[in-house]
């Protein structure tokens, strides 16, 4: 028997159970064996669930059962999830997860432990929900030196920004709408302050550049400061405002990585990625630019990626997947402020004054004594200096 | 020694040699061993090539050399390429290729032969050039029932259509430009008549639906009949004209597959895929829609995909990749004419007459006694019937 245990019967965990049942024949074909869901571990009771006979609170039973070959960790967070993941790996079971917080914080260590025990730790669903992205990076782009990766990594903020752009809503109104629709949580800070996107760009950077990138090392700016006016001015410049996570190799082994709102020109396909969808661009020295697009969250899309990892773990029981990265340190980061790009600024000044101070700038209009414009390429220090005599209302990079 | 032989030292073959050398360290890391390029088989001499010491005309030497573990077939066509592929597989060597014609015609048989000999036949580069698409379908989406796949599968025709849209060029002028730039061949028919796209949608359908789809069974319409006027009218309707290959599961085991120009609404990301770029949308019952975008042709992008397959073959020398499909027959096709969609038509009639005949149609204007419009959802038979009293100048599906 090739047994599966699911830890945490929330949205993703119950989606995994659903996909395992719904697509059982196709999954058995892919895994070249029958998979059997044997336990669901949760502290809550689910008296009406069709899976109630599998529910238990006792992780120890899972840990001791030799029939359980893959443990699906969909608890979330870095507390109990961390403990159970370690214990499952130590017990010689592969672990599959959608938990970006845990992978971003402890992925390096957990992959090392998996390697020691000859099992797999897989986490395709931790970035981009159901979008195939981690496996394509490690396998399909294995012949490339990847020099940059960036993308729309958080569906909640993309939904809010899309509402602001399409309906002219204020940030507060758009957030309220996202909460009403279930796309944003009651406490939305981990989404709207960029923390979720930061974890994901760290995991992508870990895989692309081979060294652990701690989310705490990155400058992370969310979307609270984006105004409806900014989205209108951006539109006049042929751009949409998107929250991007980005990591760029510097050529000297250092990496610039950060999360911030950007103006994305309409020629860039990311500008057309609306609502809760995610998309990730990878740039390699042979392939050029490739983009991966799809649902970045949601029950079944995320479960689709988790189950693909279960299939992979089942197929590779004796041949470990070669996914790993080295320990890292803050010294491998190059300050993202050094990156040169065009800048969008909104300042309390008239257009004439702005254009006199910024030769080559493109004015996007303004009213009530403010002017929005796009300034030519400069570093953060450079643009800050040039703006020092202005009262700055908004300042975002343009993704060129 | 893990030796590689390249058959055919053209654009892709020489790109493979270049990528193997340029990214050797990263490739060795991915393959977990050193790869060594040992032979290049070509009937031509390349006296100035840095690889001239590896060049030979003798495939027999490759066939007999036990050090050669992977043969890269970049000859093209289904003649010599077919013979050498069979012989290499029979000699117990894995074969990696970008040859869509051979895979579309003989993939089923060659995969069977590879299985018998315990080696791999891999062809990621045959569809979408460097874009990771076949491996994501077989691995990352393995937990899904895929019910539709469609995309822009040919860069030459997309370049021509993009020129027509952006510069208002005629088809002939845009084709000439593409030839001058090296994007179209002197005899461009296999691209512009949709034959290349047809081979690719067949390979995608083989993988998604598990049975061999012969390119000869498909209705294949190219872009010769698209006029500059059509691209303008389409633009007024918020659409771009794109050549799509498409395969849709019917639910009864049959598949509708065809190649034809479509109007793609701007909300669909494919509308923003311009120039020589390709993009493929996969629709699965858990994942929803995912899209893969990148360079569909070109020396290094295609070589990137070929070398990823070499790495995969090297890593899986003892555990075969589970890629295969069954024999098929024309009876598994559902006539694509039965598929219902909205239609774009340009007819020799005035707007009033058109709107009287097509209630609910959206007029896109016209001059010189012609009218372009988008008709509501109908089958091909239905729209043909409704148009029977009109002289039809253009008729294309809308991709809804």
């Amino acid at each position: 028997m090739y047994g599966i245990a699911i830890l945490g019967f929330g949205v993703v965990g119950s989606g995994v159970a659903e996909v395992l049942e719904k697509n059982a024949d196709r999954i058995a074909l892919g895994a070249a064996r029958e998979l059997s869901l044997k336990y669901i571990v949760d502290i809550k009771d689910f008296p009406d669930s069709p899976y109630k006979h599998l529910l238990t609170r006792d992780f120890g039973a899972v840990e001791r059962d030799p029939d359980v070959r893959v443990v699906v960790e969909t608890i979330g967070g870095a507390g109990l999830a961390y403990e159970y993941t370690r214990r499952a790996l130590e017990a010689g079971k592969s672990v599959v997860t959608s938990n970006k917080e845990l992978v971003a914080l402890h992925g390096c260590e957990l992959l090392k432990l998996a390697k020691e025990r000859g099992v797999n730790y897989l986490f395709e669903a931790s970035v981009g929900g159901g979008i195939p992205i981690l496996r394509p990076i490690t396998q399909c782009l294995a012949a490339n030196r990847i020099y940059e990766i960036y993308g729309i990594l958080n569906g909640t903020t993309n939904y809010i920004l899309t509402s602001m752009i399409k309906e002219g809503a204020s940030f507060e109104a758009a957030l309220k709408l996202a909460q009403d629709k279930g796309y944003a949580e009651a406490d939305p800070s981990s989404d709207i302050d960029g923390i979720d996107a930061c974890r994901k760009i760290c995991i992508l950077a870990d895989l692309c550049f081979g060294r652990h990138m701690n989310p705490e090392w990155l400058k992370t700016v969310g979307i609270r400061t984006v105004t409806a006016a900014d989205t209108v001015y951006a539109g006049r410049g042929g751009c949409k405002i998107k929250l991007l996570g980005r990591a760029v190799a510097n050529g000297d082994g250092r990496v610039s990585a950060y999360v911030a709102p950007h103006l994305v020109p309409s020629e860039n396909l990311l500008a057309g990625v609306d609502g809760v969808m995610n998309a990730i661009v990878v740039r390699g020295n042979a392939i050029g630019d490739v983009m991966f697009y799809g649902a970045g969250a949601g029950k079944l899309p995320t479960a689709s990626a988790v189950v693909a990892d279960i299939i992979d773990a089942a197929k590779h029981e004796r041949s470990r997947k070669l996914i790993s990265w080295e320990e890292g340190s803050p010294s491998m980061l190059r300050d993202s402020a050094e990156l040169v790009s065009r800048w969008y600024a909104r300042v309390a000044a008239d257009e004439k004054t702005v254009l006199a101070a910024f030769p080559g700038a493109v004015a996007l209009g303004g009213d009530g004594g403010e002017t929005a414009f796009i300034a030519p390429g400069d570093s953060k220090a450079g643009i800050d200096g040039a703006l020092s005599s202005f009262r700055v209302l908004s300042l975002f990079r343009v993704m060129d």
Side-chain angles (χ1 to χ4, degrees), chain A:
Chain A
M1 183 197 216
Y2 198 88
I4 315 288
I6 296 173
L7 314 183
F9 200 51
V11 174
V12 179
S14 60
V16 170
E18 185 178 333
V19 169
L20 280 173
E21 184 170 318
K22 190 155 95 172
N23 296 340
D25 53 346
R26 185 164 158 90
I27 291 164
L29 199 70
R33 62 172 100 203
E34 291 287 328
L35 308 183
S36 172
L37 180 56
K38 196 164 177 190
Y39 300 95
I40 297 170
V41 180
D42 203 295
I43 49 164
K44 275 182 278 189
D45 292 320
F46 295 85
D48 302 325
S49 167
Y51 299 101
K52 66 176 180 227
H53 59 293
L54 303 179
L55 274 151
T56 173
R57 296 179 185 200
D58 179 17
F59 174 69
V62 171
E63 195 178 20
R64 287 184 303 269
D65 187 338
D67 284 347
V68 174
R69 307 301 312 134
V70 178
V71 171
V72 177
E73 184 271 294
T74 48
I75 301 170
L80 200 58
Y82 176 62
E83 185 199 324
Y84 285 180
T85 299
R86 281 200 65 96
R87 283 169 60 184
L89 294 170
E90 277 170 357
K93 302 170 194 312
S94 287
V95 176
V96 166
T97 190
S98 59
N99 185 339
K100 48 233 164 205
E101 184 175 353
L102 187 59
V103 177
L105 282 175
H106 299 295
C108 184
E109 169 202 337
L110 293 168
L111 283 164
K112 211 174 140 205
L113 176 58
K115 190 176 176 185
E116 285 165 16
R117 302 295 158 144
V119 292
N120 284 298
Y121 182 51
L122 301 173
F123 39 84
E124 177 65 68
S126 66
V127 180
I131 306 171
I133 176 66
L134 304 187
R135 195 172 282 103
I137 287 174
T138 52
Q139 292 186 19
C140 309
L141 303 179
N144 285 263
R145 266 179 234 291
I146 294 170
Y147 58 89
E148 180 169 352
I149 184 156
Y150 70 95
I152 297 169
L153 300 170
N154 179 273
T156 303
T157 45
N158 203 45
Y159 181 86
I160 292 170
L161 291 170
T162 303
S163 296
M164 291 172 69
I165 294 165
K166 293 205 168 161
E167 279 123 55
S170 68
F171 167 74
E172 291 73 17
L175 169 60
K176 176 75 171 45
L177 181 66
Q179 286 171 322
D180 291 347
K181 293 216 168 194
Y183 296 142
E185 295 179 45
D187 174 2
S189 47
S190 101
D191 289 318
I192 64 178
D193 291 329
I195 298 164
D196 176 77
C198 178
R199 289 172 183 146
K200 292 168 177 167
I201 194 65
C202 284
I203 297 172
L204 292 169
D206 292 339
L207 283 171
C208 290
F209 306 121
R211 289 168 70 191
H212 176 67
M213 176 89 69
N214 191 313
E216 287 169 15
W217 303 339
L218 271 64
K219 281 187 192 161
T220 301
V221 179
I223 62 166
R224 287 184 201 262
T225 61
V226 178
T227 69
D230 290 322
T231 68
V232 173
Y233 293 128
R236 286 190 201 153
C239 295
K240 287 207 192 150
I241 300 185
K242 298 287 179 192
L243 182 68
L244 301 183
R246 187 175 175 215
V248 190
N250 194 46
D252 61 357
R254 290 184 305 155
V255 173
S256 293
Y258 66 97
V259 174
H262 287 71
L263 268 69
V264 179
S266 60
E267 308 85 68
N268 188 320
L269 278 188
L270 286 195
V273 174
D274 285 337
V276 294
M277 304 306 276
N278 284 194
I280 298 149
V281 176
V282 186
R283 322 185 78 173
N285 72 338
I287 183 77
D289 286 9
V290 283
M291 190 185 88
F292 303 84
Y293 163 91
K299 181 175 178 168
L300 294 186
T302 308
S304 159
V306 171
V307 176
D309 274 350
I310 296 175
I311 293 171
D312 216 15
K315 261 166 63 180
H316 289 86
E317 204 179 9
R318 268 161 252 159
S319 61
R320 282 196 63 260
K321 306 291 292 182
L322 295 168
I323 304 172
S324 68
W325 54 82
E326 306 290 313
E327 291 291 344
S329 76
S331 66
M332 70 191 228
L333 263 101
R334 179 187 176 211
D335 188 347
S336 61
E338 293 175 29
L339 284 178
V340 171
S341 70
R342 291 189 295 155
W343 293 87
Y344 161 88
R346 185 163 56 90
V347 298
D350 63 25
E351 188 172 315
K352 210 169 151 186
T353 313
V354 164
L355 291 179
F358 289 87
V362 177
L364 303 172
D367 54 24
E370 69 177 34
T371 299
F373 62 103
I374 292 178
D378 209 335
S379 66
K380 181 72 165 57
I383 189 76
D384 280 346
L387 285 168
S388 59
S389 62
F390 291 92
R391 188 156 68 85
V392 180
L393 305 169
S394 295
L395 180 64
F396 304 123
R397 276 185 197 275
V398 179
M399 183 69 219
D400 287 310

